[in-house]
Amino acid sequence: MESLTSRIHAVQSPIIPVVGELIKNSPGTISLGQGVVSYNPPPEAIEFLPKFLEEPTNNLYKSVEGIPQLLTALAGKLQAFNGIEINEENCIIVTAGSNMGFMNTILAITNPGDEIILNTPYYFNHEMAIAMAGCRAVLVATDENYQLRPDAIAQAITPKTRAVVTISPNNPTGVVYSEAALRQVNQICGERNIYHISDEAYEYFTYNGVKHISPAAFSNSSEYTISLYSLSKAYGFASWRIGYMVIPKHLLIAVKKVQDTILICPPVISQYAALGALQAKEEYLKSHIGAIAQVRQLVLDCLNRLQGLCSIIPANGAFYFFLKVHTQMDAFELVKRLIQEHKVAVIPGTTFGMDDGCYLRVAYGALQKETAKEGIERLVQGLETIVRS
């Protein structure tokens, strides 16, 4: 029976539960691991739940692509924030989180053996989805500042390439890709007749005046640009599982086949909550992301003490820093020792495709200032103790 499960055996195990088990066995550990926020959904999300209960037919399956009132609200948001107009060339699909949007995409646009270009470091669930679909992730390294290298991406395209994936603001590095680089990659995809998959789950999390860019807003790009979004981060919606995708209209039938098979329809109660969340006042996002920006600065100030021991690349987005630790140690072994000996958890860079050195992802979105300060102090002290010993 071994051969029946060989395809999934070849897929890497999700790192978050592995690190979670280590944390459970080391009580008192502060986690700088999982990429979530600490705050709750806006009150408007909860206030919309009675509207779900008032309609008796809401216990039945609803439209595969999402309830009409949520699709309308999302179209307004996309126009106002992203500069993306929903028209006869494109459409919105509500998903159970943006990870599902990515899986929908890969299954809709590929055949087994096809190639998808990922920029390293990549988001591990992207690489896992590609492997599950029987396709191959072709890895293209970013530059020394984790920025895109469009020329290298162009050179990596083969007759089997179906898409290039970009994530901006980036997980795991926190880097925001420049508009010029995103335009160049998008243009390459159009010229080579492949898709540009743009993961924008962290679209609201930018700092120091940096602006978010959506490639689907570029002129004449809607025929080949696929955009993925999530309410999990900005709206504190992680367990509600609501994301959405903007796809070329010609992919609608294929994506609906995938989503109907896996999900039938996104949880309708969560869609009502999402509809409420989108009514939240601007102050909701502004205040919460402003608080994370303060935590970010505190974390950066502490990490700067590691200059010489680590390379810390400036990052103006998401809620991550990606450290390169100047050591020959295995990244996962270092993570285990940090948890067991210093009660602080981070994620090893190997799970993001970085095996040419010792890298760590530091997440700070889930922490209040006081906890973040204690967690980062433990990380700094732990690295100084372990690496220099």
Side-chain angles (χ1 to χ4, degrees), residues 204-385:
Y204 291 106
F205 296 89
T206 58
Y207 315 103
N208 298 323
V210 172
K211 299 296 183 186
H212 173 67
I213 302 296
S214 294
F218 300 155
S219 60
N220 303 315
S221 70
S222 58
E223 272 287 296
Y224 58 87
T225 306
I226 298 166
S227 308
L228 308 178
Y229 301 96
S230 173
L231 270 71
S232 295
K233 314 302 180 184
Y235 287 95
F237 244 63
S239 72
W240 292 84
R241 306 314 303 136
I242 291 291
Y244 54 103
M245 54 197 304
V246 179
I247 61 173
K249 185 65 72 68
H250 66 257
L251 287 177
L252 177 60
I253 292 174
V255 169
K256 285 174 71 173
K257 285 180 184 179
V258 177
Q259 180 141 305
D260 184 73
T261 302
I262 296 174
L263 187 68
I264 297 182
C265 68
V268 178
I269 191 167
S270 294
Q271 291 190 68
Y272 270 78
L275 185 57
L278 293 172
Q279 318 299 315
K281 297 178 177 62
E282 190 178 333
E283 182 58 28
Y284 170 81
L285 290 177
K286 191 175 177 183
S287 63
H288 284 304
I289 294 172
I292 288 178
Q294 292 181 20
V295 172
R296 173 187 175 275
Q297 192 56 54
L298 182 153
V299 169
L300 188 56
D301 291 344
C302 289
L303 289 178
N304 281 333
R305 287 165 35 198
L306 293 172
Q307 295 288 355
L309 194 67
C310 297
S311 297
I312 304 158
I313 302 301
N316 286 310
F319 33 74
Y320 306 113
F321 288 110
F322 201 64
L323 310 183
K324 182 174 185 180
V325 187
H326 302 154
T327 178
Q328 298 301 311
M329 281 188 71
D330 174 76
F332 186 65
E333 284 304 312
L334 179 54
V335 167
K336 284 201 292 188
R337 287 190 60 183
L338 284 167
I339 294 171
Q340 293 163 354
E341 299 170 20
H342 296 273
K343 306 284 192 191
V344 62
V346 290
I347 303 297
T350 43
T351 200
F352 304 101
M354 300 296 279
D355 52 11
D356 62 338
C358 184
Y359 297 84
L360 304 174
R361 188 190 76 174
V362 179
Y364 54 85
L367 303 178
Q368 304 297 326
K369 264 179 149 179
E370 299 73 21
T371 314
K373 184 168 176 55
E374 174 64 24
I376 291 297
E377 289 287 351
R378 291 183 191 182
L379 178 63
V380 170
Q381 185 177 350
L383 288 173
E384 288 177 335
T385 302

Side-chain angles (χ1 to χ4, degrees), residues 165-180:
V165 179
T166 59
I167 311 169
S168 184
N170 188 259
N171 177 11
T173 66
V175 162
V176 179
Y177 295 148
S178 71
E179 179 175 354

Side-chain angles (χ1 to χ4, degrees), residues 13-14 29 35 40 43 53 85 118-119 124 170 177 188 262 297 307 333-334 339 370 382 387:
S13 295
T29 296
N40 294 323
L53 298 170
E85 180 186 358
L118 299 181
N119 296 280
F124 53 84
N170 188 259
Y177 295 148
I188 290 167
I262 296 174
Q297 192 56 54
Q307 295 288 355
E333 284 304 312
L334 179 54
I339 294 171
E370 299 73 21
V387 177

